[in-house]
Amino acid sequence: MKCPKRFNIIQKNINGYLYDEDNKNVGHSHIFIETQEFAKCYEKECAAWDKKKKICKEIKK
């Protein structure tokens, strides 16, 4: 059995203020970062999926 296809999406919002030489607020910056990836156990051979621990119980050869 293969581990389930689990897809992780991580989103980060970073906001900041921009200041000039006199320490006056002149604007702001905004960065949005999104990371998408499959879970680490994707496509490994495993005996079962442990829902409690959220890990794959692997088959040892």
Side-chain angles (χ1 to χ4, degrees), residues 1 4 7-8 10-13 15 17 21 25-27 29-32 34-36 40 44 47 49 53-54 57:
M1 158 180 171
F7 197 70
N8 297 330
I10 301 165
Q11 296 179 338
K12 297 178 186 176
N13 276 311
N15 293 307
Y17 295 100
E21 297 143 4
N25 186 352
V26 293
S29 64
H30 177 239
I31 300 171
F32 178 77
E34 181 175 284
T35 306
Q36 299 180 359
K40 289 183 181 177
K44 275 189 189 174
W49 179 254
K53 294 181 182 176
K54 295 185 180 180
K57 294 182 180 178

Side-chain angles (χ1 to χ4, degrees), residues 28-51:
H28 72 278
S29 64
H30 177 239
I31 300 171
F32 178 77
I33 301 169
E34 181 175 284
T35 306
Q36 299 180 359
E37 62 189 9
F38 283 105
K40 289 183 181 177
C41 83
Y42 176 67
E43 294 295 322
K44 275 189 189 174
E45 292 289 332
C46 68
W49 179 254
D50 190 340
K51 289 182 182 179

